[in-house]
Each structure stands twice: as C-alpha cells, then as structure tokens.
C-alpha cells in the first residue's frame, strides 16, 4: 500500500481544510526518550509499519547527529516508496547539505526540516542572537534547503513562548523564502488549548502569505495536554499534526498519534476532519515499537493500553454484553486489536505461526522466521499455550537485536536462605569464550556482577524491572534494564521462563547496544 502525498498533491490539498496531514516523528523525536535509541534495522522495521499505517510524513532522523542516523535516514529514503521522508537539520549550511545527502534518494518525497529558536529566552541565552540575526539565519537556511527541493519545512523552536508579532514576522519571512510547511511547536509543553488556538488564529490573521504554506503543530506533553493542544490547533486552522506512536519522546513525550487520530475519527460530530491513517494498524504498530524500544505502554494508556477495552465493573460488563456502544466509544477491531485471539501451542504449525506474526505487524524474512519458529517450538514444549505477548518477546529476543559483541553461552546460579548467592556465567566476547563465578547480594546481583566482570565495563545500572509476560506460573519472565556509560543511556530486554536468565539476557542486550554506539544527539523542537 502506498501512503502519503507528494509535495504538489500536498499543496493542492491545502485548500481542503478537512484533511489533516499526519507527520510521524517516532524515529526522530520519539527516539529521544531515554534509552530508546534504535539501530538501522529497527528503524526500518518501524518505517515499514508506518507505511502500512499510511501516515503522510515519516521524520526518519537527524542526519548530521551521527553516521548511524545518517545511514538510517538514507536507508529509509531508499526503501519507503509512498510516504514523504523528512530529515531534521539546524539552520546552517552543513546540516542542510548533510540532510539532503541522505534524503535525495526519496526524490520529491524528501523533505528538509530546518529550525531555529525564536523565543526571547532562547535567543538571549542559547543563540545569543538578535531578532534580525534570527530572521536572517532562518531565511538563509530555507533558501538553501529550497535549492535542493521545494519540500521544505521550517520550525520556530519554542514558538509558544515567542512574542506573537515577532513569530508572525519569522513565519512570513520563511514562507517568502520558500518554506511550504511552517511548524509552530510547543517545545516545552507549556501551552493550553485556548492559548494555542489563539496563536494559530493570530498567525492566520496576521501573516499575509500564510495561505502559501501548511500550518503544522508539534506538541510536547509536559502538562499532559499535547493531544488536546493539537486538536485545538486543528480546529483553529492547523493542517498538519506532528506526533509519535505511543506518545514517546523527550521528557513527558509527544502528542500521541493513536490518540489524535482516533479522536478525529470518533468525534466527527464536532471535529469534522479526516486523516488517511489506516487505523487497523495502530495496535500492531504500538506493540512493535514497545517490543523494539523496551518502553512498555502503561495499562491505562488511551487507545492501546491493556485496559483500554477492559471492563471490570459488573454494570459495565452487563452493558457491553448487551450492546457494546453502551461503554465502548470505538471498537477494538478499529485499531487492529483482534479479541478472538488464536492461541498457539506445541501442535501449531508453521503456517499458523507465520500468520499470527503478520497479524501482529511482523514482516520477517525466511531466515528470521526460521529462528523465531525454532524458539517458538522450544517454548511450546515448556508452556501449554503461547500468547501474543510470548510472540512479541520471541521476536524481540531472537530477531530485533543489533550487533552482538557479547553472547550468553551458559550460566548457573545457586541461591538460598543459607548460602551466599553465586552466579557462574560463560560469555562469548568477540569470538573468545570467557567464564567466571561471582557472589552477590542476590541471584540477579551476582549475575550482573559476573557479566560486568567478564565484559570489563563501567556501565552503571539505572533501572531494573521484571515481570511476567502472561499469566500462570509457566509464564515467561520479561526483564528490562537501563544502563548508562559516559552519559549514554540504553535499554536492554530479555525474556525467558527463568527470570534470572531473562535478567542476564537483558543486561547483555544493553551492553551490546552500548558497544555498538547506539546513542544520539538530542534536539529539541
């Protein structure tokens, strides 16, 4: 399925105030969640899923931030054939040139997204520039970008805290210079719906050439108002919403794609707008992102949380059984949540296994399917029933992994109420087998100390959590660790019926991410 629109179609659609452009920045702003860095293969998996969802624009990264980011944007630009592909860059020649070097493979679908701060506090303390210097820099950047492509977006960083007359001046100048989308971001999640609506209205009434560009909004969730602010802006005339899957992002996150899209779909009576998003792919995309990043979705999260369609109260259960619309304002099927789940077991065949993976949003190659199927069969011998959550863990553990400098070969842990917990761990490190035994305060502590000793790492453990993937005493344990080393943070995941083994796998997964240099420069919009 193709998705999105090219720049010419988008400009024609500007007069259609009923269509909202969905600009997904999961791979750029969303990846700035602590520990959420993704490798190129993982980014590409998400990009393919966003393509299935039919989003209009995928912001693939910040090309100059690192070689890995550049290659990821380039690969996505080469691979994704329907959506527009955007790359973020600061308002300087070097950033813009580097961005287009990665984006050029997308042709007219490539979008250069450049920005500079416009608020007094940013101009004074960060940029140390005057108003005239900021306008001059913004115009120069847009003109340089427009020399490569007409598909140029300009963002006024911290627009919400910018004096409106100056914001209008900047917006008018960059549109005159060639920007076809102007983004008015709430960089620090500071505004409220009524104020944001007034800002958008002010720009529409005070920028003479505003009809020559798409007005975009990008809201952070520091006060829990990102979705509400985005909807208010749409009602005031904004035509593009920048958002992320599961609302992930810097600090408290971004406007949640699934929430804003389903709000527009559900409340057509007072929000007469539409998007081109195929909402049936929302839930699989949410699950895929959580699996890749290790950032789990809170149970009461709107739309995609585990409790979103759960009914505990008796009166609610009775009402739903009689007529779903009594307590459900949307159907689970509308977001791709199939409540008639096919439970797999050791007698399930390859066809049923592959079909379920595809329904969950995983499009694996033959080699990856074989690896996952072998792991599935091994788990099926230990568990009576295999649930979707088990399949997510299998894919995360066996398929979605970066380069492996450290590999767990075997381990044994002894622990009890009398003997000191001791972990014996054998790793393969750069092809060489190493083994050690270490005592600790508990079985997990001993395991981590043994791995740390073998890996010779100074990484600091910031967070450790363990939980059961499904119910029952035979459930797989799922562990997540967050490690920090020299200012870089990564998340590691591991799953196994033995929670100590799962813990070891999570710790090693995080070490591998650190060793592969999976970090990024943080950019705020």
């Amino acid at each position: 399925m193709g998705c999105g629109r090219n720049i010419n179609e988008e400009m024609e659609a500007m007069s259609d105030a009923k269509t909202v452009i969905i600009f997904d920045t999961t791979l750029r702003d969303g990846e700035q969640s602590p520990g959420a860095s993704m490798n190129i293969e993982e980014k590409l998996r998400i990009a393919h899923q966003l393509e299935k969802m039919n989003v209009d624009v995928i912001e693939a990264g910040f090309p100059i931030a690192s070689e890995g980011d550049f290659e990821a944007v380039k690969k996505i630009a080469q691979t994704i054939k329907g959506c527009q592909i955007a790359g973020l860059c600061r308002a300087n020649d070097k950033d813009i040139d580097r961005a287009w070097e990665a984006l050029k493979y997308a042709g007219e679908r490539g979008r250069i997204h450049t920005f500079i701060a416009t608020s007094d506090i940013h101009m004074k303390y960060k940029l140390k520039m005057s108003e005239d210097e900021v306008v001059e820099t913004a115009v120069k950047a847009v003109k340089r970008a427009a020399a490569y492509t007409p598909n140029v977006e300009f963002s006024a960083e911290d627009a919400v805290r910018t004096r409106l007359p100056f914001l209008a001046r900047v917006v008018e100048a960059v549109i005159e210079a060639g920007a076809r989308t102007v983004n008015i971001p709430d960089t620090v999640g500071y505004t409220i719906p009524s104020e944001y609506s007034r800002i958008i209205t002010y720009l529409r009434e005070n920028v003479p050439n505003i009809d020559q560009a798409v007005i975009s909004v990008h809201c952070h969730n520091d006060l829990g108002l990102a979705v509400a602010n985005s909807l208010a802006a749409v009602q005031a005339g904004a035509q593009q919403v920048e958002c992320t899957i599961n609302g992930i992002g810097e600090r408290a996150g971004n406007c949640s794609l699934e929430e804003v899209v389903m709000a527009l779909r559900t409340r057509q009576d007072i929000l007469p707008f539409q998007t081109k998003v195929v909402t049936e792919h929302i839930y699989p995309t949410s699950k895929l992102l959580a699996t890749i990043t290790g950032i789990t979705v809170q149970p009461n999260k709107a739309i995609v949380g585990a409790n979103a369609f759960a009914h505990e109260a008796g009166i609610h259960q009775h009402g739903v059984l009689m007529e779903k619309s009594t307590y459900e304002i949307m159907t689970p099927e509308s977001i791709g949540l199939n409540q008639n789940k096919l439970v797999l077991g050791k007698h399930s065949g390859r066809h049923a296994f592959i079909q379920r993976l595809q329904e969950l949003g995983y499009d694996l190659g033959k080699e990856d399917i074989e690896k996952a199927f072998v792991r599935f069969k091994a788990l099926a011998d230990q568990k009576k029933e295999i649930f979707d959550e088990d399949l997510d863990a299998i894919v995360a553990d066996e398929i979605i992994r970066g380069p492996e400098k450290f590999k767990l070969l075997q381990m044994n842990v002894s622990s009890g109420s009398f003997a000191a917990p001791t972990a014996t761990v054998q790793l393969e490190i750069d092809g060489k087998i190493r083994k050690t035994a270490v005592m600790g305060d508990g079985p997990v502590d001993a395991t981590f100390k043994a791995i740390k000793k073998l890996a010779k790492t100074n990484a600091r453990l910031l967070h450790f959590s363990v939980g059961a993937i499904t119910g029952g005493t035979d459930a797989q344990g799922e562990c997540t660790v967050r490690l920090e080393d020299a200012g870089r943070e990564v998340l590691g995941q591991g799953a196994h019926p033995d929670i100590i083994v799962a813990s070891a796998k999570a710790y090693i997964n995080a070490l591998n991410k650190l060793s592969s240099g999976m970090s990024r420069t943080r950019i705020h919009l």
Side-chain angles (χ1 to χ4, degrees), residues 190-379:
Y190 182 71
T191 194
I192 63 174
S194 58
E195 179 186 49
Y196 206 35
S197 179
R198 287 195 299 270
I199 292 172
I200 301 302
T201 299
Y202 180 90
L203 294 175
R204 292 184 67 201
E205 294 176 349
N206 292 275
V207 177
N209 55 1
I210 195 67
D211 60 340
Q212 297 176 28
V214 169
I215 300 175
S216 175
V217 290
H218 178 120
C219 297
H220 280 264
N221 204 39
D222 297 69
L223 294 176
L225 295 171
V227 172
N229 288 333
S230 298
L231 292 173
V234 168
Q235 289 181 301
Q239 300 139 295
Q240 175 176 286
V241 173
E242 304 192 1
C243 44
T244 63
I245 300 299
N246 296 342
I248 69 168
E250 190 79 31
R251 303 184 313 279
N254 289 274
C255 172
S256 165
L257 181 149
E258 59 274 9
E259 292 179 27
V260 76
V261 166
M262 291 309 293
L264 291 172
R265 171 172 168 163
T266 303
R267 293 309 308 272
Q268 285 285 298
D269 54 332
I270 59 173
L271 294 169
F273 307 98
Q274 63 181 0
T275 72
K276 294 189 175 182
V277 171
V278 180
T279 62
E280 288 76 13
H281 286 293
I282 284 176
Y283 187 73
T285 307
S286 169
K287 293 287 289 183
L288 178 62
L289 180 66
T291 299
I292 286 176
T293 63
I295 300 176
T296 57
V297 176
Q298 66 192 60
N300 62 328
K301 169 76 166 65
I303 314 299
V304 293
N307 296 342
F309 295 96
H311 303 278
E312 184 72 20
I315 190 171
H316 285 211
Q317 292 174 341
H318 176 71
V320 170
L321 289 173
M322 298 298 291
E323 170 54 50
K324 287 187 175 183
S325 63
T326 54
Y327 289 101
E328 289 187 353
I329 60 174
M330 68 194 86
T331 66
E333 291 77 15
S334 68
I335 65 163
L337 178 56
N338 182 6
Q339 293 191 318
N340 297 317
K341 292 183 179 179
L342 175 65
V343 178
L344 302 176
K346 66 179 182 179
H347 298 299
S348 299
R350 190 183 302 269
H351 178 74
F353 175 73
I354 294 173
Q355 179 182 343
R356 191 60 196 140
L357 285 180
Q358 291 174 341
E359 290 172 354
L360 291 173
Y362 300 117
D363 186 15
L364 306 181
K366 290 184 178 180
E367 183 177 340
D368 287 341
I369 287 175
E370 183 60 31
K371 289 169 62 178
F373 188 67
V374 170
R375 174 71 181 273
F376 159 72
K377 282 295 189 180
L379 182 61

Side-chain angles (χ1 to χ4, degrees), residues 31 33-39 42 292-295 457 459-464 480-493 506-520 522:
E31 199 200 8
S33 297
S37 294
M38 293 176 262
N39 61 36
E42 290 168 343
I292 286 176
T293 63
I295 300 176
T457 177
R460 185 166 60 97
L461 179 65
L462 300 179
H463 174 77
F464 168 70
T480 301
V481 302
R482 179 178 293 165
L483 297 183
E484 181 272 331
D485 187 24
R488 296 166 51 211
E489 292 184 19
V490 296
L491 282 174
Q493 303 164 266
Y507 197 94
I508 292 169
N509 178 236
L511 287 179
N512 280 321
K513 288 183 177 181
L514 283 174
S515 69
S516 65
M518 289 179 60
S519 63
R520 60 177 290 109
R522 294 196 172 196

